[in-house]
Amino acid sequence: MSGLAGWVDFSRNPTQDHGIARAMTAALARRGPDGEGLWTAEHVALGHRRLAVADPGGPAQPLVHADGSGPRAVLSHLGRISNARRLRAELIGRGHEFSTDSGAETVLRGYLEWGPDVVTRLEGAYGFALWDVRREELLLVRDRMGIKPLFYAPTPAGVLFGSEPKAILAHPDFEPVLDAEGLRDILSVARVPGQAIFRGMREVRPGCVVRVTRAGTVEQRYWGLQVADHTDGLDATISTVRALLETVVADQMAGQEPPCALLSGGLDSSTLTALAAQLAREQGLGPIRTVAVNDQDGTQGNDDHVYARLMADHAGTEHGEISLAGLDLLDPALRAAVLGAYDVPLNKGDQYASLYRLFGTARQHAAALSGECGDDVFGGYNWQRFPEWVGSGTYPWVHEGRPRFQGYGTLFDAGLLAELDLPAYEHDTHAAAVAEIAAGEHVADPAEARHREVTYLAHTRHSRVLFDRLDRLGMASGLEIRVPFADHRLVEYTFNIPWAMKSYDGREKSLLRAAMRDLLPDPVAMRVKTPYPNLRAGAYDQVLRERLAQLVRTGDSPLAPLLSADLTRAVGRQGAAALEGDVSRAALETALQLDSWLRTYRVRTAL
């Protein structure tokens, strides 16, 4: 969905460093293969990479507004403004003239009319950097839910920024360093908004604007979820959910060509497929396209493709599948491509590799609808439903998934782990997160207050991982992925629905199932949730053990100082067998990814 990059420096003139600005912008070429733009002036450089489908017919960017005295405001924008048409009509009524119908021009004209308050009027999934020439102020803005990424790194005299870390890393003044805070973020599945792993780098938090002036850099929140009463009854709630979904999907379908749907055969993706197919028929657009993964060799132990075909037949889509054999996902070139897309180490190598392949297949279409976030919104995860996880006193998905991450104590140095103190980090960040929403101050029933906290955690912490993987892997494939379930209008409405109503029939995602029942075939409508498949092939884990054992034996890995001396001795005696038993796949993947990342990105450790 396009990319932006640049920097502000009040002590120098970036115009004299044109090559640096171009390198930062070029680092995002995969995000925007259809064009590049660069604008520089005293103290500022703004770059843009364009993906045509994200803004068909839109103007070249950065977009400049000038009057008789010269440039007044310059914008580098990515994403979709879902209410652009309504805002444009209002701005025309206020005397503004438009040369295009693009979201970017709507944002720029909106800023000229309302100043920084324009952020409160925008809806959709977007990010932008706007330089106010006269005020000498940079605004870095991210959408309410954080669907689109935006990173920045404050400097003594300004800031570096970009859609992905690689843009900031392309600036010679930024050194990639891993410190204790960054390593905690890697090893913990308790991710914290704003943290970006590289020392000195930050993410613009969802619903926030970062303002950069000569006085410094300040982040301000313009939107956030709030606890409130839900006054609708069950029938009205189901009807409202259906109406919101129809509105959101219609907004996501707007464009030159209808997007395809990433169809797993589950309730979320089938909902989007059904609504998109219905809307396409009503508009005379013909059948939409759907894409699914076929577990060719059975190594993923998953029959999603069977339900996907059933749903595709029911909706009348043009259906295609990508076949994946499990061990193909170990291809070093594929793993390197995934790391290059993500810029940070991962712990689910098979899952991310299969998604990268799927998105590459879907690239032939204009864009793709994804069912991600449906579980977060409607309560589809076990950790949102079962008391032992909901009431665990920590991130419930961490408590549920802890066995899947065992083995860090075997792999990493005991002194390092003691310094990191991951249990305390998890406890403290969880406490800080639930304090943000203060549900107990507004909801009398402690159980209901906790469910509200868990939903808040899902939207502000868990969804960060989902959005990251869709954006990084999709953009690396040149694919724009849209996430209707993350529309803030739907999120705001469903957030305060009492848990008893969300689970009124004793099943997961009761409200969504009821709202969509008439458009889905019975087997899909009544299907029990299944997670995105992970490989079940023991041979996959064995390859990981052998690769890590070889890395330990060589002793020249940048990871070596972080590893346990006992592990090094055990591998020397037993080889890969020393990694059997209590070392999970996620721990193996994390160690191998850390090694590749430290090498590839030439990261210096400061631990």
Side-chain angles (χ1 to χ4, degrees):
M1 194 177 273
S2 304
L4 60 89
W7 91 93
V8 168
D9 192 322
F10 293 106
S11 67
R12 62 198 279 195
N13 188 344
T15 301
Q16 300 172 359
D17 298 309
H18 198 271
I20 296 176
R22 188 165 297 280
M24 295 177 71
T25 306
L28 301 173
R30 295 292 294 272
R31 294 189 70 92
D34 301 318
E36 177 183 86
L38 185 64
W39 184 87
T40 61
E42 187 177 12
H43 305 314
V44 63
L46 280 176
H48 186 268
R49 294 290 313 198
R50 181 170 184 264
L51 178 64
V53 68
D55 201 8
Q61 293 194 53
L63 186 60
V64 181
H65 174 79
D67 55 23
S69 61
R72 178 178 171 188
V74 186
L75 173 75
S76 188
H77 169 273
L78 62 88
R80 302 180 74 250
I81 306 299
S82 59
N83 64 335
R85 183 176 299 177
R86 296 189 293 274
L87 288 176
R88 193 158 49 247
E90 181 177 356
L91 288 164
I92 290 173
R94 291 171 175 264
H96 290 266
E97 297 181 357
F98 285 78
S99 58
T100 72
D101 60 358
S102 72
E105 189 174 5
T106 303
V107 172
L108 184 58
R109 289 280 174 180
Y111 177 80
L112 296 173
E113 179 66 31
W114 297 301
D117 287 342
V118 68
V119 299
T120 64
R121 298 171 180 262
L122 302 175
E123 298 176 357
Y126 57 85
F128 64 82
L130 187 146
W131 175 249
D132 188 310
V133 177
R134 296 172 186 174
R135 294 170 58 91
E136 289 194 327
E137 179 179 56
L138 176 75
L139 301 183
L140 299 175
V141 180
R142 195 173 180 199
D143 66 75
R144 289 170 172 81
M145 292 295 293
I147 299 170
K148 294 294 115 187
L150 187 53
F151 293 83
Y152 68 102
T155 67
V159 70
L160 313 176
F161 59 91
S163 296
E164 296 178 14
K166 56 175 60 70
I168 295 172
L169 295 172
H171 195 289
D173 290 349
F174 188 87
E175 180 189 10
V177 177
L178 175 67
D179 60 13
E181 182 179 86
L183 187 54
R184 288 188 188 99
D185 205 61
I186 292 170
L187 297 183
S188 172
V189 287
R191 310 298 295 276
V192 177
Q195 294 184 185
I197 294 183
F198 294 96
R199 187 174 73 181
M201 189 185 296
R202 301 283 296 168
E203 248 188 317
V204 179
R205 290 184 299 164
C208 287
V209 53
V210 172
R211 303 179 70 160
V212 182
T213 64
R214 289 181 180 273
T217 299
V218 178
E219 185 176 69
Q220 300 171 338
R221 177 169 296 281
Y222 67 87
W223 180 86
L225 289 168
Q226 302 291 330
V227 176
D229 292 333
H230 181 76
T231 58
D232 290 346
L234 178 61
D235 290 344
T237 298
I238 292 171
S239 297
T240 302
V241 165
R242 174 63 172 265
L244 280 169
L245 286 169
E246 290 176 344
T247 298
V248 170
V249 171
D251 286 346
Q252 301 284 353
M253 291 278 285
Q256 287 185 327
E257 181 182 346
C260 74
L262 303 174
L263 180 58
S264 70
L267 182 59
D268 300 334
S269 64
S270 295
T271 288
L272 302 184
T273 297
L275 291 172
Q278 176 179 260
L279 186 62
R281 286 192 297 270
E282 292 173 353
Q283 296 181 352
L285 299 176
I288 67 165
R289 301 178 179 90
T290 49
V291 182
V293 172
N294 186 336
D295 183 12
Q296 186 180 46
D297 57 5
T299 54
Q300 299 184 61
N302 189 281
D303 59 356
D304 277 354
H305 63 282
V306 175
Y307 288 92
R309 290 175 187 173
L310 176 64
M311 185 64 220
D313 290 343
H314 181 81
T317 73
E318 293 181 356
H319 187 61
E321 295 180 352
I322 173 176
S323 295
L324 294 176
L327 296 185
D328 290 348
L329 302 180
L330 285 161
D331 176 23
L334 174 59
R335 292 171 69 87
V338 170
L339 177 60
Y342 227 81
D343 288 339
V344 295
L346 307 167
N347 56 42
K348 294 183 178 180
D350 59 322
Q351 185 179 109
Y352 286 78
S354 66
L355 282 170
Y356 184 77
R357 286 275 177 86
L358 174 64
F359 296 162
T361 299
R363 173 65 182 93
Q364 61 185 291
H365 307 295
L369 299 179
S370 169
E372 288 281 35
C373 219
D375 289 305
D376 302 77
V377 169
F378 290 105
Y381 295 113
N382 286 338
W383 50 260
Q384 292 172 297
R385 303 170 55 230
F386 296 160
E388 62 267 32
W389 294 321
V390 171
S392 63
T394 186
Y395 303 95
W397 63 88
V398 174
H399 192 74
E400 179 200 19
R402 209 178 299 279
R404 296 197 297 270
F405 290 87
Q406 66 182 3
Y408 286 165
T410 299
L411 296 181
F412 296 103
D413 178 75
L416 173 65
L417 292 177
E419 177 187 349
L420 296 176
D421 198 356
L422 295 178
Y425 176 75
E426 176 188 311
H427 175 274
D428 293 346
T429 57
H430 172 266
V434 297
E436 293 171 1
I437 197 65
E441 297 178 9
H442 306 281
V443 180
D445 178 12
E448 176 59 28
R450 179 55 182 168
H451 275 293
R452 206 70 56 88
E453 290 175 352
V454 168
T455 305
Y456 181 77
L457 293 172
H459 287 315
T460 61
R461 270 66 178 175
H462 183 265
S463 63
R464 172 186 173 186
V465 177
L466 307 182
F467 297 148
D468 280 354
R469 72 186 184 188
L470 291 180
D471 180 83
R472 303 299 190 284
L473 301 177
M475 285 288 85
S477 305
L479 177 68
E480 180 200 348
I481 301 179
R482 301 173 186 171
V483 196
F485 285 113
D487 186 282
H488 83 277
R489 294 166 292 182
L490 180 64
V491 170
E492 284 181 331
Y493 181 75
T494 57
F495 175 64
N496 285 300
I497 297 175
W499 181 251
M501 188 179 290
K502 284 184 177 177
S503 59
Y504 75 92
D505 65 356
R507 299 201 59 182
E508 76 277 7
K509 292 187 284 195
S510 304
L511 292 177
L512 179 60
R513 206 178 300 274
M516 292 302 302
R517 187 69 181 82
D518 63 307
L519 289 186
L520 303 176
D522 287 345
V524 172
M526 303 308 294
R527 187 184 180 197
V528 176
K529 175 185 168 50
T530 57
Y532 188 89
N534 291 310
L535 290 179
R536 298 184 180 181
Y540 182 93
D541 291 354
Q542 182 58 28
V543 172
L544 296 181
R545 286 190 287 267
E546 290 172 355
R547 288 181 178 177
L548 184 54
Q550 180 60 30
L551 181 154
V552 172
R553 281 198 193 98
T554 60
D556 62 352
S557 166
L559 185 65
L562 311 184
L563 297 176
S564 164
D566 290 341
L567 172 71
T568 302
R569 288 190 290 269
V571 168
R573 294 191 305 269
Q574 302 172 257
L579 297 167
E580 295 178 356
D582 68 344
V583 181
S584 66
R585 176 185 295 179
L588 295 169
E589 293 272 25
T590 299
L592 288 167
Q593 284 274 316
L594 255 175
D595 171 74
S596 296
W597 178 68
L598 292 169
R599 292 176 190 265
T600 304
Y601 287 80
R602 298 181 180 180
V603 178
R604 179 171 65 85
T605 57
L607 300 166

